Amino acid sequence: MSRPDGRVDPKGRTWTALSGGDTGGAAAPRRRAAPVSGRQPPVASTSPGATRAANAQGNLSGAAWWHANQARYPNSQSVDDLESPFREKAKRFIAALRAAGANVRVSATRRNRIRAHLMHYSWRVAKGQIAPTDVSAIDGCDIQWDHGDLTKSRAAAAEMVRLFHIVFKPSLTSNHIAGTAIDMTISFSGTITVADGSGKSVRVGSVAALNPVGASYGVLKLASDPPHWSANGH
């Protein structure tokens, strides 16, 4: 303002200057706002496998998982867990053997379906027969086969194969899983007389001679597997 009058009367020079109407002085330059860039900082990319592995550290397959969880899925040694009518047939056969003086030790009956699943897929992943990402989930078991790296995934599965003591590819449809097979060790001294399924007395001098006796009860021997008996001989 070139000549201020010291007053702020409406329409006066001071009023006009304060209202922005005085052009006698240089106007203060306006500051321009800095342009806003639409670009965002780059985000590091992560592979889907690595993301899954990072989200599942607590349930990754391998030796640590096996030691922490496998006991939750035990196989049974109880004849009561077999499927009927094979259960009743096996009980009758075992009772006849013990009545004849034979010693019968049952080591396995029904196999836990989750344990069978774990054994089957640990073998297949370890052998490269299936991708870790393609293993089907099973209710009641929290395990992550994909470590985000194929080599690590296969190595972890191989650890479980060793811990399960797997020698051949495990089945998902065996008689043990269905509850129609029993593993039992039978022993006796000399010759015994055992009743067959019809009640007929049969003298036997070896465990192999019991095969037809077991068949008369509907308990069939798998000759290639010494302790194994089943509903269909497999």
Side-chain angles (χ1 to χ4, degrees):
M1 186 165 60
S2 57
R3 291 186 300 163
D5 55 10
R7 301 176 62 180
V8 193
D9 296 326
K11 305 300 182 180
R13 287 195 300 273
T14 302
W15 173 280
T16 302
L18 293 175
S19 300
D22 186 359
T23 58
R30 292 185 178 182
R31 299 179 61 186
R32 292 186 178 181
V36 178
S37 172
R39 299 179 61 186
Q40 299 296 323
V43 178
S45 61
T46 306
S47 68
T51 300
R52 282 191 296 271
N55 292 336
Q57 286 296 323
N59 64 348
L60 286 174
S61 60
W65 189 97
W66 191 93
H67 287 295
N69 297 282
Q70 66 86 23
R72 300 178 185 178
Y73 315 109
N75 291 328
S76 176
Q77 296 177 329
S78 174
V79 179
D80 288 332
D81 288 333
L82 292 171
E83 193 72 16
S84 182
F86 183 71
R87 175 177 61 240
E88 291 76 22
K89 294 175 180 179
K91 283 185 174 182
R92 290 183 61 221
F93 181 37
I94 292 171
L97 290 170
R98 287 173 172 164
N103 178 59
V104 180
R105 182 178 63 83
V106 177
S107 56
T109 55
R110 187 185 287 272
R111 179 168 295 156
N112 186 291
R113 68 181 183 88
I114 294 178
R115 193 178 190 87
H117 175 94
L118 292 168
M119 294 173 69
H120 177 85
Y121 283 108
S122 61
W123 173 275
R124 291 189 62 191
V125 171
K127 301 299 181 182
Q129 297 177 0
I130 188 172
T133 53
D134 292 339
V135 177
S136 59
I138 185 170
D139 290 341
C141 182
D142 185 17
I143 186 170
Q144 175 65 40
W145 298 94
D146 180 20
H147 289 237
D149 177 90
L150 185 57
T151 300
K152 291 180 180 179
S153 299
R154 288 180 177 174
E159 290 176 353
M160 294 178 62
V161 168
R162 289 192 295 271
L163 289 166
F164 276 127
H165 303 290
I166 303 172
V167 178
F168 301 104
K169 179 181 176 180
S171 172
L172 289 176
T173 57
S174 72
N175 281 316
H176 275 295
I177 298 170
T180 55
I182 183 171
D183 288 353
M184 54 185 176
T185 302
I186 305 168
S187 60
F188 55 86
S189 299
T191 299
I192 61 173
T193 300
V194 58
D196 68 10
S198 66
K200 178 183 176 181
S201 295
V202 180
R203 288 177 60 81
V204 296
S206 67
V207 173
L210 287 171
N211 293 1
V213 177
S216 70
Y217 285 94
V219 182
L220 308 182
K221 186 73 187 73
L222 177 61
S224 61
D225 190 349
H228 187 81
W229 303 72
S230 70
N232 59 10
H234 297 290

